[in-house]
Amino acid sequence: MNNGAPKQEEVQTWVLTWQKKLYRWSVENRTRTYPDLYNLIHDPRTLQVAWQHLRANQGSKTAGIDGETRYRVETRLGVDRFLWKLHEELKTGTYRPQPVREKGIPKKSGKTRYLGIPTLRDRVVQQAMRMVMEPIFEAGFYTSSYGYRPKRRAQDAIGEIYHFTVPKSGYEWVVEGDIRGCFENVDHNLLLREIQRRITDRKILRLVTLILKAGVMTELGSYRKTITGTPQGGIASPLLANVYLSILDRHYEARWQAMSRYPGLRQHLRRKGMATYRLVRFADDFVLLVKGTKEQAEALKQETADFLRMELRMELSLEKTRVTNVREGFNFLGHRIILRQNSTRNDDVLLTLPSKPSLQAVKERIKAMTSRGTTSQSLEQILAQLNPVLRGWSYYFRFDAAKRTLAYLDYYAWRRVLIWMRKKHPTRGIRNLQRKYFPDWQFHEGKQTLFRPSKVTVERYLYRGARIPNPWTDRRPDNGPPEWSEPQRLEKLENHCSR
């Protein structure tokens, strides 16, 4: 591994080649199983690419219970030596993951979310395992699932919800679902059973079991066994959670396909007084879009709760799960989706807006960055901290009807910087500060200029549906026009994409 090692570009090409093959084989035969993949995980080239992925992540600076960081590996141990030792342990079967380090993060509700931080070596192994497993399972995941999947964004989930809840589609009732402690309550036996549907390699199954059973080192220093759950914070956890929750996706996808066997069937079912419904899931948050009555939506809510309890051994969060009409509005992934009357045209229009909690959260971050305790820093340092927050929030919500909200955020950030300047220089007058720091009413110092959210272009996000590409497709599937005129055409497009 030290002498004559291949170039990074060649190694990445090699890994991408077999990933594309695994994905293509899995799409062509959706019942195909893979009994021999473990050699790809412990291959030095796979570990080398896994290390590069990890190195590009800010999380590589965070240590697990062994205290190892990327800096120490690169400067003292040596990356080649570190990866080669890991390769030998995996190859000989002597690899044993260490317990994850527990880290509590306070939530606004007053509760605490606990993350599990694996050691650096365990993160490399999880990344290598994910690189092998993800193309296989991605081929079988459903189009209504969006969270923690490559090339899929929160805007895609919002786009599908918008597509089904616009007045012409008529899905007016929404079951807002939230699974209580999703990552903590994943049943290991059920998860392994789902993995075995595609991967039968015993060594990989054993590796997954070792990772799941590694245990947790609590903040108080005590060891706790992990009987259920996947550590929230582990690299492989999002993929494993998606594999597990695909049971729920499969249940509702089968219902959707049954309601869409031929054009006009859903309309016929509704004329008979039956409801039609569509599940949209983003990780452990989901909505069930219902075209029918409120009583039917309530019945589907109870049916979903029963299914989760019996089939996945999970519970719905009662305080977060409710049935809402689109005219009342509901929040999902930080967005507010609501149907309002257009006074100018005397008809209904569906709007997606930044939710009030999302706006309040970014305001609190801006306020904390410009508090009196930060006046020891320079204006350039403050702007360097503010700009990524403003830019990220603005670009995330730029596909909403957010022009007024972005203008308000622009004003709020500008005003907070001005208040910060007055606190930093209490003896200077406003005119003096303006001449030095914002002569053109734009705060700037050095290479930093305050980002202006009001300058961000607001536009409607293009609903991509089943046409979303992934890293292992050479080109986008040709699914016809960019927009669908009716929701019922989604089934045909999905079938065409899966061929």
Side-chain angles (χ1 to χ4, degrees):
M1 195 167 179
N2 291 318
N3 298 323
K7 296 181 179 180
Q8 185 63 32
E9 295 79 7
E10 297 176 357
V11 172
Q12 290 177 343
T13 301
W14 177 80
V15 170
L16 184 60
T17 299
W18 56 253
Q19 283 184 319
K20 286 183 176 181
K21 288 182 180 179
L22 290 175
Y23 179 78
R24 186 178 70 250
W25 294 338
S26 301
V27 169
E28 292 172 351
N29 185 352
R30 296 186 179 273
T31 60
R32 176 173 180 165
T33 58
Y34 297 86
D36 188 16
L37 293 174
Y38 187 72
N39 61 311
L40 290 177
I41 293 180
H42 67 70
D43 190 285
R45 292 167 290 185
T46 303
L47 295 176
Q48 185 178 342
V49 175
W51 171 263
Q52 291 301 323
H53 278 284
L54 184 65
R55 190 180 186 279
N57 195 319
Q58 289 293 328
S60 62
K61 299 178 182 179
T62 306
I65 62 171
D66 60 353
E68 291 287 354
T69 62
R70 187 193 74 194
Y71 176 79
R72 187 174 185 277
V73 170
E74 292 179 337
T75 57
R76 297 186 182 182
L77 300 178
V79 175
D80 289 348
R81 181 181 175 185
F82 172 79
L83 295 180
W84 186 257
K85 183 179 179 181
L86 205 53
H87 157 72
E88 289 293 332
E89 290 182 10
L90 288 168
K91 185 177 180 179
T92 59
T94 58
Y95 167 78
R96 295 292 184 276
Q98 295 179 278
V100 298
R101 179 169 68 89
E102 187 179 68
K103 177 66 176 178
I105 299 178
K107 299 171 67 175
K108 288 187 177 181
S109 61
K111 299 179 181 179
T112 303
R113 172 181 294 158
Y114 290 99
L115 300 181
I117 304 174
T119 62
L120 193 64
R121 62 194 293 274
D122 294 338
R123 273 176 273 175
V124 173
V125 173
Q126 289 190 34
Q127 177 63 35
M129 184 179 74
R130 178 179 176 176
M131 287 161 53
V132 173
M133 295 175 61
E134 193 169 40
I136 298 171
F137 286 102
E138 185 67 27
F141 286 154
Y142 299 96
T143 57
S144 59
S145 165
Y146 293 95
Y148 304 124
R149 293 180 60 186
K151 303 292 185 179
R152 288 175 168 254
R153 315 175 187 132
Q155 285 83 2
D156 289 312
I158 298 298
E160 180 163 353
I161 295 172
Y162 181 91
H163 183 75
F164 278 90
T165 52
V166 290
K168 66 178 181 180
S169 297
Y171 285 74
E172 60 177 340
W173 293 103
V174 179
V175 180
E176 305 173 59
D178 184 271
I179 302 174
R180 180 185 291 115
C182 176
F183 283 83
E184 295 85 353
N185 293 305
V186 170
D187 186 276
H188 293 172
N189 292 328
L190 289 178
L191 174 59
L192 290 171
R193 187 184 67 186
E194 279 300 303
I195 294 175
Q196 284 182 291
R197 290 168 65 95
R198 300 309 299 263
I199 297 176
T200 57
D201 190 324
R202 292 184 178 180
K203 292 183 179 180
I204 290 185
L205 296 174
R206 177 176 175 271
L207 180 61
V208 173
T209 303
L210 288 174
I211 292 173
L212 293 175
K213 302 292 186 182
V216 175
M217 191 64 68
T218 67
E219 292 182 302
L220 299 177
S222 60
Y223 173 79
R224 184 178 73 245
K225 292 183 179 180
T226 48
I227 302 174
T228 61
T230 62
Q232 191 171 353
I235 292 178
S237 295
L239 173 62
L240 297 178
N242 265 333
V243 171
Y244 192 79
L245 291 174
S246 64
I247 301 174
L248 178 66
D249 299 337
R250 186 163 59 243
H251 173 73
Y252 278 105
E253 184 66 19
R255 297 282 188 89
W256 178 258
Q257 295 294 340
M259 292 183 289
S260 311
R261 292 193 304 274
Y262 55 84
L265 176 58
R266 292 203 296 274
Q267 291 85 341
H268 173 73
L269 293 174
R270 287 192 292 271
R271 283 195 296 268
K272 293 290 186 180
M274 302 173 67
T276 57
Y277 41 92
R278 173 76 172 172
L279 178 77
V280 179
R281 183 177 65 83
F282 191 95
D284 57 339
D285 294 322
F286 66 88
V287 293
L288 195 60
L289 309 175
V290 183
K291 193 170 185 177
T293 65
K294 183 176 181 180
E295 291 72 21
Q296 290 171 328
E298 291 283 359
L300 285 168
K301 171 187 171 182
Q302 186 60 47
E303 180 184 327
T304 304
D306 294 340
F307 180 84
L308 286 171
R309 184 172 58 255
M310 297 178 64
E311 300 296 331
L312 281 82
R313 300 172 189 174
M314 289 183 168
E315 298 288 337
L316 278 181
S317 176
L318 297 179
E319 62 272 15
K320 295 182 180 180
T321 302
R322 51 187 174 270
V323 176
T324 311
N325 192 283
V326 181
R327 293 187 180 276
E328 302 172 17
F330 63 98
N331 294 344
F332 189 65
L333 304 180
H335 302 262
R336 179 74 175 171
I337 304 172
I338 187 169
L339 187 66
R340 290 179 177 173
Q341 186 174 16
N342 189 338
S343 58
T344 58
R345 296 188 304 179
N346 198 27
D347 59 358
D348 293 329
V349 58
L350 186 71
L351 297 177
T352 58
L353 308 162
S355 67
K356 290 183 179 180
S358 299
L359 180 60
Q360 185 61 32
V362 73
K363 286 173 60 178
E364 290 176 0
R365 292 188 66 184
I366 295 171
K367 188 174 183 179
M369 292 177 181
T370 55
S371 64
R372 186 179 296 274
T374 64
T375 53
S376 60
Q377 303 180 48
S378 66
L379 176 61
E380 185 176 10
Q381 291 174 316
I382 294 297
L383 297 181
Q385 297 174 40
L386 281 174
N387 284 343
V389 174
L390 293 171
R391 185 180 294 108
W393 198 92
S394 301
Y395 277 95
Y396 179 78
F397 289 103
R398 71 188 179 97
F399 300 108
D400 290 349
K403 197 65 180 176
R404 290 185 179 180
T405 306
L406 293 177
Y408 169 75
L409 183 64
D410 190 317
Y411 162 75
Y412 181 82
W414 189 94
R415 182 172 175 273
R416 285 302 310 175
V417 175
L418 178 61
I419 293 173
W420 178 86
M421 291 291 302
R422 298 294 299 271
K423 292 177 181 178
K424 184 176 177 65
H425 306 285
T427 59
R428 292 191 181 184
I430 186 68
R431 294 297 181 186
N432 185 290
L433 292 174
Q434 181 188 358
R435 283 194 298 270
K436 183 173 182 181
Y437 295 105
F438 53 105
D440 53 354
W441 297 96
Q442 298 290 327
F443 285 105
H444 51 77
E445 186 176 65
K447 297 181 179 180
Q448 298 292 334
T449 300
L450 182 64
F451 182 80
R452 301 294 303 276
S454 62
K455 303 297 183 182
V456 174
T457 302
V458 174
E459 57 185 340
R460 169 60 58 191
Y461 187 78
L462 179 63
Y463 172 45
R464 300 188 293 171
R467 301 161 299 163
I468 303 176
N470 61 54
W472 312 292
T473 52
D474 294 323
R475 61 181 179 86
R476 293 191 180 189
D478 182 13
N479 287 323
E483 296 274 356
W484 293 289
S485 58
E486 299 181 31
Q488 67 183 40
R489 297 183 60 192
L490 184 60
E491 178 194 358
K492 294 182 180 180
L493 292 167
E494 290 173 354
N495 293 337
H496 177 76
C497 184
S498 64
R499 283 201 293 266

